Amino acid sequence: MRARVSVFLTILAMTIVPTSTVRAVGVCGDVGWTNYFDGYYSTDQVRSSKATIRDRPIFLCNENAGATSAATAWAMVAGAGGLQYAQAGYIKFAGSANPQAFTEYNDGTSIWDASHWWRTTYAGIWSNGAQHSYVVDYNATTGKLYMQIDGLTKASTPWSPDLVWNTPWSAQFFGETMDRGDDVPGTPGARTDFSSVAVRHCAGCIWQAPTGNSLLSDWPYYKFAWTLNPTAFQIYTQR
């Protein structure tokens, strides 16, 4: 009788162990939500932001969920009630083999009408483990915000924030997913680093460490860790 119980338990264990390592299928199937990791943001009025971000893979649970299935990591300057924003970072879409570096801005009039979104450019510089600098910088001469990757200007806003600097503008360093089943970039063993985080508060100001910072996640799988508060942190997905 004891031998039979022992055999039964062994068989039971063999059937349970493999299923315990399977990815969280329930999470991957629960799409239609926007989950994010709000890395670091400054509540101060800023005119520029920058960060060096280490490229890490993004594992999308819903690879075939369509163009809206994506995950990103980026640095941003945003303000005027959300009507203007400019950002630079990297992104992976469902169906894509690798992430891509990107810049993005809107036309400054609306974020709710889709025709005003997604003025986007892409650069195929992504390489796992490599560090790239992402800068959104205000140019006092032209009055525009310029988005730079590794020191090269990739895009500029069509609008001038000169008209709206009286509204608080924030600097954000962010990880985001477009579906509930997606992952933010990085794993526990290979985290995404945000380092050299800095902002400018005026056209002639030097780069400074941001203030009014926060690290938030609205989804328990999306983790963060300070490495040098307030100028360096890590994000990753833990399942």
Side-chain angles (χ1 to χ4, degrees):
M1 187 68 179
R2 288 180 182 176
R4 290 179 182 177
V5 171
S6 177
V7 170
F8 174 75
L9 290 177
T10 301
I11 295 173
L12 182 63
M14 291 174 62
T15 59
I16 289 177
V17 170
T19 60
S20 67
T21 62
V22 172
R23 199 170 185 81
V25 177
V27 175
C28 295
D30 189 6
V31 299
W33 294 76
T34 298
N35 289 279
Y36 63 88
F37 170 82
D38 184 350
Y40 180 106
Y41 77 91
S42 170
T43 55
D44 288 352
Q45 180 166 296
V46 299
R47 299 194 177 202
S48 305
S49 72
K50 71 173 183 176
T52 298
I53 304 175
R54 185 181 299 276
D55 293 354
R56 292 299 188 190
I58 303 171
F59 301 101
L60 302 184
C61 298
N62 288 304
E63 289 288 0
N64 300 314
T68 59
S69 183
T72 62
W74 39 260
M76 168 189 270
V77 174
L83 298 183
Q84 290 87 23
Y85 69 86
Q87 63 193 56
Y90 70 92
I91 185 168
K92 182 182 180 184
F93 291 107
S96 298
N98 290 306
Q100 304 175 75
F102 79 101
T103 65
E104 185 176 275
Y105 59 89
N106 67 344
D107 70 0
T109 62
S110 173
I111 61 169
W112 305 115
D113 183 345
S115 66
H116 300 283
W117 287 29
W118 311 119
R119 305 298 193 268
T120 312
T121 62
Y122 299 99
I125 64 170
W126 192 90
S127 179
N128 185 31
Q131 290 193 135
H132 297 286
S133 64
Y134 298 100
V135 180
V136 181
D137 195 18
Y138 172 69
N139 186 302
T141 301
T142 63
K144 309 294 185 182
L145 282 170
Y146 289 80
M147 289 143 277
Q148 302 172 348
I149 301 175
D150 292 338
L152 299 176
T153 298
K154 299 293 185 179
S156 63
T157 60
W159 38 266
S160 173
D162 271 340
L163 304 176
V164 289
W165 279 125
N166 58 331
T167 302
W169 282 65
S170 64
Q172 301 178 19
F173 306 92
F174 211 88
E176 182 181 51
T177 67
M178 283 57 161
D179 283 336
R180 196 180 185 97
D182 298 342
D183 294 350
V184 293
T187 64
R191 301 178 181 184
T192 294
D193 297 310
F194 285 74
S195 57
S196 302
V197 172
V199 299
R200 281 181 177 153
H201 298 290
C202 67
C205 290
I206 63 172
W207 290 103
Q208 302 177 23
T211 58
N213 58 298
S214 69
L215 286 170
L216 302 170
S217 173
D218 78 337
W219 190 232
Y221 293 112
Y222 303 160
K223 305 296 184 180
F224 56 81
W226 283 107
T227 53
L228 184 63
N229 191 343
T231 59
F233 63 91
Q234 299 172 322
I235 68 171
Y236 56 99
T237 295
Q238 180 172 297
R239 293 194 187 281

